[in-house]
Amino acid sequence: MTSQRSAVRTASPRKVVTVGGRVALPVRRVSVLTALVLLVLLVAGAVATLSLGRLGIPLSELAGAVTGGAEGKNAFVIERLRGPRLVVAVGTGGALGLSGALFQSVTRNPLGSPDVIGLASGAGAGAAISALLFPDTVPVALGALLGALLAMGLVHVSTGTGFRNPARLVVAGIGVAAIGTAITQYVVYAMERDRAAVLTAYVNGSLSARSWEDATTIWLVLLAVAPLTALLARRLDIGEMGDDIAAALGSEPRTTKTCAVVLAIVLSAGAVAVAGPIAFLSLTAPQIAKRITRVSGPHLVLSALSGALLLVLADLCAQQLPLFDNLPVGIYTMAIGGVYLGCLLVREWRRGAL
């Protein structure tokens, strides 16, 4: 019965919204309803972030504070303490969710994400090296970005086929990730205790002390990549049917895969630059979107919304849970990813796939 329902949903009718002559976005009713629910939950999470806690803005004053009428403590919370942090969380989560959706669509693997191909580990290694060797000249965020790009360059060269072969991409990425992790651990071990503690917080992913400059950075990346992603949406949807059918329909699967991976890397690199390598978010967000709707497709918009919601909720926990003071938000996303992987393994075991 369950498989029949799934099949009906997968084959459910959909509309294609066209923008100009080049952009065609497949849209289903269940996807629109899911997007609305995720938006409502995201707004609720944002309100909780700004209003809870000792320095929270009372709900009666929140609307006026957000629209520019904040004074005193409320102005400090909106402009310096929680406002930039919230905007960075929404943008970073959206970028990671969209990045994961692109990567999983290309690899057709529910465990696929930019983390797997060594981007996060490369970013951590870059941050560690800049903090150890160039502490006063190279910002840690810039070092993380350069490390992520270098890791992707190594993966691109070592596969022998660039980003076109998903299997080689994953294998090469695992090797690069191991190297990056080893470098990071060595640097943390070799550094002084105080500096190592700060670096450890960053390489686990942190949203503390974010600024409006960080918010501008991640949202500029999103605004630059979103139109290019929309151009690929129809091709990615066709590509879910297999390379042979996609090629027959003129989708050019090899070019589409390469472009999708490059865009996923740009999104992840932007997220790393402002928040560090936040783990598992790009892995779980697309799967949440797919399992809620139970329909085929890359679910680009829903994955971005799911990623934004997950990171806002994780950061809310990081700020408000009394048992773990100032714990990096990446620790909470690791917990989310661990729960997801555990549920996935149990599900596959019950189906007899393991």
Side-chain angles (χ1 to χ4, degrees):
M1 182 66 70
T2 303
S3 61
Q4 290 176 354
R5 289 178 184 173
S6 179
V8 171
R9 286 199 175 186
T10 301
S12 61
R14 60 185 172 182
K15 297 180 180 179
V16 177
V17 177
T18 58
V19 181
R22 296 180 61 87
V23 180
L25 300 174
V27 177
R28 294 183 177 88
R29 182 182 177 185
V30 65
S31 298
V32 174
L33 293 176
T34 303
L36 291 176
V37 172
L38 290 174
L39 277 173
V40 171
L41 294 175
L42 182 58
V43 170
V47 169
T49 297
L50 295 175
S51 61
L52 293 180
R54 183 170 56 87
L55 295 176
I57 302 173
L59 290 177
S60 60
E61 303 174 12
L62 184 59
V66 171
T67 54
E71 297 180 355
K73 183 202 77 171
N74 291 352
F76 173 74
V77 172
I78 287 289
E79 297 170 8
R80 299 280 300 276
L81 184 63
R82 297 187 186 177
R85 181 168 181 160
L86 175 61
V87 176
V88 170
V90 174
T92 301
L96 291 174
L98 181 55
S99 175
L102 289 169
F103 196 81
Q104 289 182 16
S105 179
V106 167
T107 60
R108 299 184 199 133
N109 187 341
L111 298 180
S113 79
D115 298 338
V116 175
I117 61 173
L119 188 144
S121 298
I129 291 174
S130 65
L132 178 66
L133 301 181
F134 312 101
D136 299 321
T137 55
V138 179
V140 172
L142 178 59
L145 180 60
L146 294 175
L149 295 177
L150 178 60
M152 293 304 94
L154 289 174
V155 171
H156 186 277
V157 172
S158 60
T159 60
T161 57
F163 297 133
R164 293 192 299 270
N165 190 311
R168 292 187 180 184
L169 189 65
V170 171
V171 172
I174 291 173
V176 172
I179 296 173
T181 300
I183 293 174
T184 303
Q185 295 300 323
Y186 169 76
V187 172
V188 170
Y189 177 79
M191 289 181 69
E192 297 176 3
R193 179 175 298 178
D194 293 340
R195 292 172 58 199
V198 174
L199 178 61
T200 300
Y202 182 84
V203 299
N204 281 316
S206 176
L207 292 173
S208 62
R210 298 304 97 179
S211 66
W212 289 113
E213 287 77 12
D214 296 318
T216 300
T217 298
I218 189 59
W219 279 98
L220 284 177
V221 171
L222 270 175
L223 292 175
V225 172
L228 301 176
T229 305
L231 290 173
L232 288 178
R234 182 63 176 166
R235 289 189 175 190
L236 290 171
D237 196 52
I238 295 173
E240 299 263 329
M241 295 184 287
D243 289 350
D244 293 338
I245 295 178
L249 294 175
S251 181
E252 301 179 5
R254 286 192 173 184
T255 302
T256 300
K257 289 179 179 180
T258 300
C259 292
V261 171
V262 170
L263 292 178
I265 290 171
V266 171
L267 288 165
S268 294
V272 162
V274 299
I278 297 177
F280 282 119
L281 206 61
S282 56
L283 174 70
T284 54
Q287 288 302 306
I288 289 174
K290 183 166 291 189
R291 293 177 190 281
I292 290 175
T293 59
R294 296 186 183 179
V295 295
S296 61
H299 301 291
L300 301 177
V301 175
L302 294 183
S303 297
L305 289 174
S306 298
L309 177 60
L310 286 175
L311 191 54
V312 167
L313 294 179
D315 190 47
L316 182 61
C317 292
Q319 294 183 63
Q320 301 299 332
L321 288 184
L323 297 178
F324 309 103
D325 188 29
N326 294 324
L327 197 64
V329 69
I331 302 296
Y332 289 95
T333 61
M334 288 181 189
I336 293 172
V339 171
Y340 162 71
L341 289 175
C343 293
L344 182 63
L345 288 172
V346 170
R347 181 173 177 269
E348 294 299 315
W349 175 74
R350 287 180 177 176
R351 290 173 55 188
L354 293 178

